[in-house]
Amino acid sequence: MALLDPVHAVLSEYHRRYDMRQVEIRIDLLRPIFEDMGYVDKIYWERFFFKSKYIIAQIKTYLQDMGPYKGVGSYARIQFSENLNYCWTRFAICKEMYHCILDAQPGSRITNTGDLLTLSEYLTDDLLSELADEADKFAPFETEKLAEIMAIETLIPIELRRHLADALDGGLVTPHQIALRYRIPEEYVGISMSAGYFSAVIRGRDGKLVDLS
């Protein structure tokens, strides 16, 4: 199993249902896919006031009675900071939904501002390239960084953004314009468009990309 197989599975199903060329990639349409592929039956999210300004999102999973004849099921509740803008809200929810696939069992996770965007430090150390070759090296990061990478690869898929590399290098398009187009935080555009990241993601997906034809 390739490191980023869940991304390929989610995007393939999204494209089959909705056509991923119609950007932005919508999180409300992603939700039923995660419910089908993950370990929870239902996913809910809500805006929330956190006492700490450093918390941007959290996910908790529960068991509940699903009603007559359905027995007991499970659901995930994602709460995201009321201070997040539209792009950051989309990213935070997508990242937390990946925990419904990645985490081995129900639990609770909190995402702090300090946990995010350090991904660029790992990329400059070529760590992601190593992880694409040997998945068990990802263990020190548990699933937090993997969920972050998967959220990037879902909301601005390599299938769609790779044709923008030359335009970005040539100054024909700016990171801000790309962020607006795909509705992701601009901070992640530079990460996702770097040459080293491109090659690492291709290897992490074992060369499998969604056929957009």
Side-chain angles (χ1 to χ4, degrees):
M1 178 179 177
L3 187 68
L4 299 179
D5 269 355
V7 172
H8 184 75
V10 168
L11 288 178
S12 294
E13 185 60 20
Y14 187 95
H15 185 59
R16 187 188 71 81
R17 296 186 189 186
Y18 311 115
D19 188 352
M20 61 188 277
R21 293 170 297 183
Q22 306 301 314
V23 294
E24 65 199 56
I25 303 292
R26 290 173 48 184
I27 58 171
D28 61 319
L29 299 182
L30 285 169
R31 171 162 46 189
I33 297 174
F34 281 98
E35 291 172 340
D36 290 342
M37 294 184 178
Y39 65 82
V40 296
D41 299 300
K42 300 293 293 184
I43 298 173
Y44 306 98
W45 58 69
E46 62 186 2
R47 194 172 293 275
F48 191 75
F49 172 75
F50 294 107
K51 292 182 179 180
S52 171
K53 65 179 180 180
Y54 300 107
I55 298 176
I56 70 165
Q58 67 180 13
I59 181 171
K60 295 182 178 180
T61 51
Y62 307 86
L63 294 177
Q64 70 171 0
D65 189 337
M66 303 299 284
Y69 312 111
K70 293 184 179 180
V72 175
S74 59
Y75 72 96
R77 181 175 301 280
I78 297 171
Q79 296 176 319
F80 58 92
S81 172
E82 63 179 10
N83 297 319
L84 297 183
N85 63 25
Y86 181 72
C87 295
W88 270 106
T89 295
R90 282 168 38 79
F91 185 85
I93 291 174
C94 186
K95 175 182 175 295
E96 300 307 324
M97 285 198 294
Y98 264 109
H99 283 298
C100 297
I101 293 178
L102 295 173
D103 293 349
Q105 58 187 8
S108 177
R109 287 183 178 271
I110 294 176
T111 297
N112 297 290
T113 54
D115 296 330
L116 299 176
L117 297 171
T118 55
L119 185 61
S120 58
E121 299 174 12
Y122 305 133
L123 293 175
T124 56
D125 292 335
D126 295 325
L127 186 54
L128 183 57
S129 295
E130 294 178 16
L131 295 175
D133 290 331
E134 192 172 343
D136 60 1
K137 289 185 180 180
F138 216 91
F141 306 100
E142 299 178 342
T143 58
E144 281 301 301
K145 287 302 166 194
L146 191 52
E148 188 177 2
I149 293 168
M150 289 180 172
I152 295 173
E153 289 309 304
T154 301
L155 297 180
I156 182 170
I158 196 169
E159 289 90 339
L160 299 179
R161 74 175 186 274
R162 56 183 174 171
H163 72 280
L164 295 171
D166 290 341
L168 183 64
D169 291 341
L172 300 178
V173 65
T174 67
H176 182 67
Q177 289 171 323
I178 295 174
L180 287 178
R181 169 72 169 160
Y182 292 94
R183 305 301 287 177
I184 67 164
E186 186 174 342
E187 291 88 338
Y188 284 106
V189 173
I191 295 173
S192 67
M193 297 298 291
S194 66
Y197 183 83
F198 267 111
S199 61
V201 166
I202 292 293
R203 291 158 64 191
R205 289 180 62 174
D206 199 22
K208 296 181 294 185
L209 299 180
V210 178
D211 183 3
L212 300 183
S213 60

